[in-house]
Amino acid sequence: MDTEARKPIPGDPDYPLHSELTIGDYFKEQVAIEPDHEFVVYPDRDLRWSYKDFDERTDQLAKGLIAIGMKLGDHLGVWARNIPDWLTFMYACVYSHVSGVRGSNRG
């Protein structure tokens, strides 16, 4: 029997609901814990991304934002419907330290 205490993971009753981690750090921790667990599911598009898949996607987009000159303090407006790319842009903004600004056509 393994007597070594394991760190609680999300879903465990002992997992803290509040954390001092940033959303980016929290997400990276989840990638390390369960890289193959589904994170994004869009059934109407038959799309499923694991934590690892989404992490790689957002890393690439964040590198692209930096490559075109986006930097800390810049704002990136994203006007999109509820599609996978919107979520990808928001996380890429977190990774590249750019402020993501959500656009909406609703009053």
Side-chain angles (χ1 to χ4, degrees):
M1 182 163 144
D2 186 7
T3 58
E4 182 180 328
R6 73 173 179 82
K7 182 178 176 183
I9 59 172
D12 287 347
D14 296 330
Y15 191 79
L17 296 177
H18 180 268
S19 172
E20 297 300 320
L21 296 174
T22 65
I23 193 168
D25 290 340
Y26 178 83
F27 181 75
K28 291 291 188 180
E29 187 176 276
Q30 291 308 112
V31 173
I33 293 170
E34 292 187 291
D36 297 323
H37 187 77
E38 287 184 334
F39 176 65
V40 176
V41 177
Y42 279 77
D44 61 321
R45 296 169 186 257
D46 197 28
L47 184 139
R48 295 178 181 279
W49 289 326
S50 67
Y51 281 104
K52 180 182 171 196
D53 296 335
F54 189 74
D55 184 50
E56 291 170 355
R57 181 178 173 83
T58 54
D59 276 347
Q60 289 299 313
L61 183 54
K63 289 175 185 175
L65 294 175
I66 293 166
I68 63 169
M70 299 292 291
K71 61 189 177 311
L72 179 65
D74 287 347
H75 293 78
L76 174 69
V78 177
W79 187 303
R81 301 178 79 171
N82 187 14
I83 59 173
D85 297 317
W86 187 91
L87 187 60
T88 305
F89 266 101
M90 292 298 102
Y91 272 79
C93 286
V94 169
Y95 289 174
S96 59
H97 304 286
V98 171
S99 296
V101 181
R102 176 182 64 86
S104 176
N105 62 352
R106 297 181 185 184

